[in-house]
Amino acid sequence: MWVQLRCGLEPKTLAALTVVLVAAAVFAGIHFWSAGPEGVEAPDVVGEAAHAPGPVSDPDADMAATGRPEPSPGPAAVPGAGGQIVVDVSGKVRNPGLQRLPSGARVDDALDAAGGARPGTDLAGLNRARVLMDGEQIVVGAPPAPAPASGTGAGGGPAAAGGGAGPVSLNTATADQLEGLPGVGPVLAQHIVEYRTEHGGFRSVDELREVNGIGDRRFADLRPRVRP
């Protein structure tokens, strides 16, 4: 009544103003309440055991737990254990013929398999430490080709090589003996020795074509005078 008399407001206007003021008060109260701080629950205290260092890994314990043992290195591979070669041992041996040997065997092993050389056999021209190749022929006690006589020059070489001594062995002849062949000088003889050392010997006379310095014409001259 006092506001109505003081401000000269009508009852409807005063009622509307009262509703607005009440609504504003309610809205302000709700806003104030929602803007207030909310309580936060404190986290659980982490025990000291969570920060303690973990146990040191034990390989034996891990193996027992998983059932998988650590890989261990196997035995060292034995060269030549997985294959076999066949060689023909002939000449002055007790048991000439085919001999089956493990791959990687040497000439000395072939001699032992053939019963050894006969007494009095000269093995000076035989490289007993050379590694054998499959299908190779080893002639024991074959007389070496005579070296050219002093002062005969190049003409004496072919005559000496073509004498009654027989073909020269490419696998056992020395460089001096190879120089006795037609058209073979010190350089070419050294190439032949280097080739048989690098490839483990000659398996056939045709391999002579692969030696540096031997062409078709020279090979045709050497072929009847040499053997593996």
Side-chain angles (χ1 to χ4, degrees):
M1 293 296 292
W2 180 83
V3 174
Q4 182 180 3
L5 294 176
R6 182 74 176 176
C7 298
L9 297 176
E10 295 181 358
K12 293 182 180 181
T13 303
L14 182 59
L17 180 59
T18 301
V19 172
V20 171
L21 291 177
V22 172
V26 172
F27 178 77
I30 294 174
H31 179 72
F32 176 78
W33 179 263
S34 62
E38 296 182 0
V40 180
E41 183 179 358
D44 296 335
V45 179
V46 180
E48 296 181 357
H51 300 284
V56 179
S57 177
D58 186 358
D60 295 336
D62 294 341
M63 181 184 68
T66 60
R68 296 191 301 270
E70 293 294 329
S72 58
V78 179
Q84 193 179 58
I85 61 174
V86 179
V87 296
D88 182 11
V89 184
S90 60
K92 298 180 179 180
V93 291
R94 290 186 174 89
N95 300 312
L98 298 179
Q99 304 296 336
R100 289 171 174 79
L101 302 170
S103 60
R106 301 180 183 270
V107 173
D108 191 63
D109 299 325
L111 291 178
D112 292 341
R118 294 178 183 175
T121 303
D122 185 12
L123 302 178
L126 193 63
N127 183 6
R128 301 172 66 179
R130 181 173 57 83
V131 178
L132 295 171
M133 303 182 69
D134 186 43
E136 184 178 342
Q137 182 184 33
I138 304 170
V139 180
V140 181
S150 176
T152 57
V168 176
S169 174
L170 296 173
N171 289 323
T172 61
T174 63
D176 293 338
Q177 293 169 353
L178 292 172
E179 290 181 27
L181 296 171
V184 178
V187 176
L188 186 54
Q190 185 62 31
H191 287 172
I192 296 175
V193 173
E194 291 175 353
Y195 179 90
R196 77 185 182 193
T197 301
E198 181 180 355
H199 295 81
F202 289 86
R203 287 181 292 183
S204 66
V205 177
D206 292 337
E207 290 186 16
L208 199 59
R209 293 176 179 269
E210 302 178 13
V211 178
N212 185 22
I214 297 181
D216 294 339
R217 184 173 181 180
R218 184 165 295 175
F219 175 75
D221 294 337
L222 293 176
R223 185 169 188 174
R225 294 176 170 84
V226 295
R227 58 180 175 81

